[in-house]
């Protein structure tokens, strides 16, 4: 609503007098209120004698004492990284601006926004472009990254994430009291995304925290402290949402999932339990937007303890190595090898020259225990072996020929880039005149590997899988069947014969050992379709 404030020509004086009268009335009422408030309402102090009392309720725990104790040990990590970028083009290289006068407004505009005729330190066309015909010369530039970390010793050792410092030219730690210290990278472990730092040359007695020796339970309270978005000293709280999470970041994923707010810059910071011990190192978040949505992942303290100890002693992490390709045991595979559960890991192939091969571990063995401890899955087997020291004599319990047996293996050291072993040469294939039509019930067409260029001399090649085959999601054209029921095969007729014999013996399924590219795996095939 618009109010016209201009007085009417005939009533301007009346409106002015009325407005003055109204203002006087408001003031008078206000003054009167002050004058009568005492006798009517009593002294003002009477209001303070009976304040409203809220009912007593159970309050959530306060984290203040924990935060006050541990916060001095948490640091911000600033990293200087080198970035190589191509130099911006010069005007002489841009036909549109080549003939512009030096004082032209467009030239001044592009000068201001980074398109310069001559960069500092560059002389003439050779300086700008490097050798003729090789394009703009790259310039050495530096960027800054930020993360979090925490001291684990009084002499300045600190933990952070590998991805925070992996490209570091310089590292600087910022403490809670505002101090800054140069640090050097002692060692990193990309497989667990952990790194160990050490304050360079400082004599200060740093406050530090302890890594917890026990794993928290799902539902336990936790506190995360770190440096999100460079803010420093930020405290968030939540609970442990899950344990043993595999997020696909590496072969040894075993993350705690927490719902305390974790954002960019929290990487490498600690998650504390209610005793002020570090239960996890914040490493990753799940977020469609890039910000916190209540799903964060932390490396458990027991993993961090082993990795840091190895980095501190050796500058690198040494892990046990068995040397096998493994795969999960499905229900079909379990039935084919006579087991009543799917626990353990099936050996698809033992690498040539590996500790497993030397100890007698064979393809088709199901590893179900390590030093008497049950193995739930292939990933758990990988973690169990990796946590053992190279050279250690380890007892593997394997399921072979329908029963358990124990094999002693002396573990090796995990290579930096272990190569997959190739299958050993089999028997020379014989001429096979039998058609693959005998496997039509499975929707498969097979041919001997020797009959196909580039397929080698070992095994039987899958040349076609019908779209309605029961094996369409297990086999594909080009796969090579090396063994059926533990027997090497080189002809399609052998596959049919072994399947038929297994059916006659009352077996519900038979294992095919299949090679796909450079990897080998087992596939269970039911006998009642043959």
């Amino acid at each position: 609503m618009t109010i016209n404030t201009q007085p009417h020509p005939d009533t301007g004086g009346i409106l002015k007098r009325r407005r003055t009268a109204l203002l006087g009335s408001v003031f008078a009422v206000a003054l009167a209120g002050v004058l009568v408030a005492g006798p009517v309402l009593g002294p003002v102090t009477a209001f303070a004698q009976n304040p409203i009392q809220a009912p007593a309720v159970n309050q959530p725990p306060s984290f203040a004492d924990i935060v006050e104790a541990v916060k001095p040990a948490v640091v911000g990590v600033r990293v200087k990284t080198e970035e190589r970028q191509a130099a911006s083009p010069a005007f002489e290289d841009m036909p549109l601006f080549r003939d512009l006068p030096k004082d032209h407004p467009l030239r001044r505009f592009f000068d201001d926004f980074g398109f310069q005729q001559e960069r500092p330190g560059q002389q003439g066309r050779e300086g700008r472009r490097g050798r003729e015909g090789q394009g703009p010369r790259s310039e050495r530039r530096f960027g800054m990254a930020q993360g979090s970390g925490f001291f684990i010793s009084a002499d300045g050792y600190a933990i952070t994430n590998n991805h925070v410092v992996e490209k570091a030219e310089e590292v600087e730690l910022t403490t809670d009291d505002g101090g800054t210290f140069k640090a050097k990278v002692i060692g990193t472990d990309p497989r667990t995304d952990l790194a160990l730092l050490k304050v360079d040359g400082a004599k200060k007695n740093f406050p530090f925290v302890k890594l917890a020796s026990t794993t928290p339970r799902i539902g336990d309270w936790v506190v995360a402290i770190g440096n999100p978005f460079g803010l420093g000293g930020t405290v968030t709280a939540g609970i442990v949402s899950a344990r043993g999470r595999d997020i696909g970041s590496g072969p040894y994923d075993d993350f705690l999932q927490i719902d305390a707010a974790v954002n960019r810059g929290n990487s490498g910071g600690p998650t504390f339990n209610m005793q002020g011990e570090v239960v996890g190192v914040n490493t990753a978040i799940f977020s469609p937007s890039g910000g916190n949505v209540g799903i964060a992942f932390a490396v458990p303290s027991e993993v961090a303890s082993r990795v840091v100890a190895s980095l501190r002693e050796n500058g690198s992490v040494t892990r046990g190595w068995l040397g096998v390709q493994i795969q999960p045991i499905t229900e079909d595979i379990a039935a084919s090898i006579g087991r009543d559960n799917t626990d353990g890991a099936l050996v698809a192939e033992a690498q040539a020259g590996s500790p497993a091969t030397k100890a007698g571990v064979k393809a088709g063995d199901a590893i179900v225990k390590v030093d008497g401890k049950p193995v739930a899955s292939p990933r758990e087997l990988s973690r169990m072996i990796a946590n053992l020291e190279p050279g250690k004599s380890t007892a593997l319990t394997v399921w072979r020929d329908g029963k358990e047996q124990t094999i002693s293996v002396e573990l090796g050291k995990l290579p930096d880039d272990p190569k997959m072993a190739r299958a050993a040469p089999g028997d020379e294939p014989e001429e096979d005149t039998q058609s693959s039509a005998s496997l039509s019930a499975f929707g498969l067409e097979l041919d001997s590997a020797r009959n196909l260029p580039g397929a080698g001399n070992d095994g039987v090649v899958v040349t076609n899988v019908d779209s309605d085959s029961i094996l369409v999601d297990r086999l594909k054209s080009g796969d090579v069947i090396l063994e059926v029921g533990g027997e090497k095969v080189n002809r399609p007729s052998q596959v049919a014969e072994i399947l038929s014999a297994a059916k006659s013996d009352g077996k519900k399924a038979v294992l095919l050992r299949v090679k796909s590219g450079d990897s080998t795996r087992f596939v269970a095939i039911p006998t009642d379709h043959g």
Side-chain angles (χ1 to χ4, degrees):
M1 180 175 64
T2 302
I3 300 176
N4 186 357
T5 58
Q6 297 296 324
H8 191 276
D10 298 332
T11 58
I14 296 173
L15 290 174
K16 183 175 181 181
R17 288 194 297 273
R18 285 181 179 175
R19 184 170 55 187
T20 303
L22 287 172
L23 290 173
S25 298
V26 172
F27 177 78
V29 171
L31 183 60
V34 173
L35 294 175
V36 302
V40 176
L41 299 177
V44 176
T45 54
F47 288 102
Q49 293 177 356
N50 297 298
I52 296 174
Q53 295 289 331
V57 295
N58 292 327
Q59 297 182 3
S62 172
F63 305 107
D65 290 340
I66 299 171
V67 172
E68 185 177 354
V70 302
K71 196 162 172 275
V74 183
V75 297
V77 181
R78 297 182 62 191
V79 178
K80 184 179 181 181
T81 60
E82 181 179 352
E83 299 175 351
R84 292 236 174 229
Q85 297 183 355
S88 298
F91 277 106
E92 286 82 351
D93 303 322
M94 303 172 67
L96 179 62
F97 304 111
R98 185 174 296 150
D99 299 324
L100 285 178
K102 291 185 178 180
D103 59 348
H104 195 282
L106 277 179
R107 183 181 287 274
R108 291 199 301 270
F109 172 81
F110 281 101
D111 280 346
D112 291 341
F113 284 87
F115 290 88
Q116 300 176 1
Q117 283 187 296
E118 198 96 290
R119 292 192 176 279
Q122 297 178 349
Q123 300 297 326
R125 192 176 187 84
E126 182 72 13
R128 284 193 307 273
R129 296 183 60 85
R131 292 193 303 274
E132 195 66 35
Q134 295 196 7
R137 188 186 70 180
S138 63
E139 295 182 332
R140 192 182 187 197
R141 296 184 179 180
F142 293 96
M144 296 298 295
Q146 296 188 96
S148 305
F150 56 98
F151 286 120
I152 57 169
S153 68
D155 55 350
Y157 280 97
I159 295 176
T160 188
N161 281 149
N162 170 68
H163 75 259
V164 172
V165 299
E166 62 181 342
K167 297 179 180 179
E169 290 281 328
E170 297 177 6
V171 179
E172 186 178 77
L173 304 184
T174 305
T175 57
D176 188 52
D177 60 5
T180 58
F181 301 89
K182 297 290 184 182
K184 60 183 178 182
V185 179
I186 300 300
T188 63
D189 182 39
R191 288 185 171 96
T192 56
D193 199 12
L194 292 173
L196 181 65
L197 310 177
K198 173 71 166 62
V199 172
D200 197 5
K203 304 296 184 181
K204 184 176 178 180
N205 190 27
F206 293 99
F208 65 96
V209 289
K210 175 186 176 183
L211 292 166
S213 58
T214 57
T215 304
R217 299 178 302 166
I218 297 174
D220 279 352
W221 283 106
V222 289
V223 177
I225 305 179
N227 186 34
F229 304 110
L231 294 173
T234 299
V235 181
T236 55
I239 62 170
V240 176
S241 303
R243 298 190 309 187
R245 288 297 197 207
D246 175 9
I247 63 175
S249 66
Y252 310 118
D253 282 10
D254 186 22
F255 288 99
L256 294 178
Q257 180 184 327
I258 63 174
D259 69 351
V262 170
N263 288 285
R264 294 176 181 176
N266 273 112
S267 290
T271 291
F272 294 97
N273 60 19
M274 296 298 283
Q275 289 73 49
E277 299 172 324
V278 178
V279 294
V281 181
N282 300 322
T283 299
I285 62 173
F286 174 82
S287 173
S289 64
N292 169 64
V293 294
I295 300 179
F297 302 99
V299 179
S301 58
E302 60 267 29
V303 175
S305 295
R306 291 191 295 269
V307 169
V308 167
S310 186
L311 291 176
R312 189 169 183 173
E313 182 176 351
N314 307 312
S316 61
V317 178
T318 56
R319 292 183 170 90
W321 178 54
L322 184 58
V324 290
Q325 292 183 44
I326 52 179
Q327 68 180 84
I329 300 175
T330 63
E331 292 183 0
D332 287 343
I333 290 176
S336 68
I337 62 176
R339 282 184 64 78
D340 57 3
N341 61 66
T342 59
D343 292 344
L346 188 68
V347 177
E349 185 174 359
Q351 298 178 12
S354 68
T357 299
K358 294 176 181 177
V361 177
K362 301 188 302 183
D365 287 345
I367 301 176
V368 295
K369 294 179 184 176
V370 175
D371 287 334
K373 298 179 181 178
V375 176
S377 66
R379 184 166 290 275
E380 184 173 13
L381 174 62
S382 296
R383 288 197 296 261
M384 294 171 76
I385 295 298
N387 289 336
L388 298 174
E389 291 293 327
K392 182 182 184 301
S393 180
T394 302
L396 297 182
T397 301
V398 303
W399 180 269
R400 180 189 293 175
D401 299 329
K403 61 183 179 181
E404 289 186 357
Q405 64 182 78
T406 300
I407 299 175
S408 180
V409 180
E410 183 176 327
L411 298 180
K413 179 182 176 181
L414 180 67
D416 292 334
D417 185 21
K419 296 181 179 180
M420 308 302 288
R422 297 293 185 264
D427 298 330
E428 283 299 318
E430 300 174 8
E431 188 70 24
D432 190 349
T433 59
Q434 182 170 339
S435 169
S436 61
S438 59
L439 294 175
S440 60
F442 294 96
L444 295 179
E445 293 182 13
L446 308 176
D447 200 350
S448 175
R450 68 175 299 181
N451 296 333
L452 300 175
N457 292 322
D458 300 321
V460 175
V461 179
V462 178
T463 57
N464 184 61
V465 183
D466 291 347
S467 59
D468 58 351
S469 169
I470 62 169
L471 301 175
V472 70
D473 58 344
R474 308 181 203 180
L475 295 173
K476 65 181 185 300
S477 295
D479 285 347
V480 180
I481 300 174
L482 299 173
E483 296 177 5
V484 180
E487 297 183 31
K488 292 181 179 179
V489 294
N490 289 298
R491 305 185 310 278
S493 59
Q494 288 178 289
V495 178
E497 291 167 2
I498 296 171
L499 289 174
S500 178
K503 183 176 181 180
S504 299
D505 292 341
K507 293 182 179 179
K508 295 181 179 179
V510 172
L511 283 185
L512 309 181
R513 183 164 169 256
V514 179
K515 183 178 180 181
S516 296
D518 290 332
S519 64
T520 307
R521 70 187 193 283
F522 280 95
V523 173
I525 181 171
T527 59
D528 56 2
H529 279 73

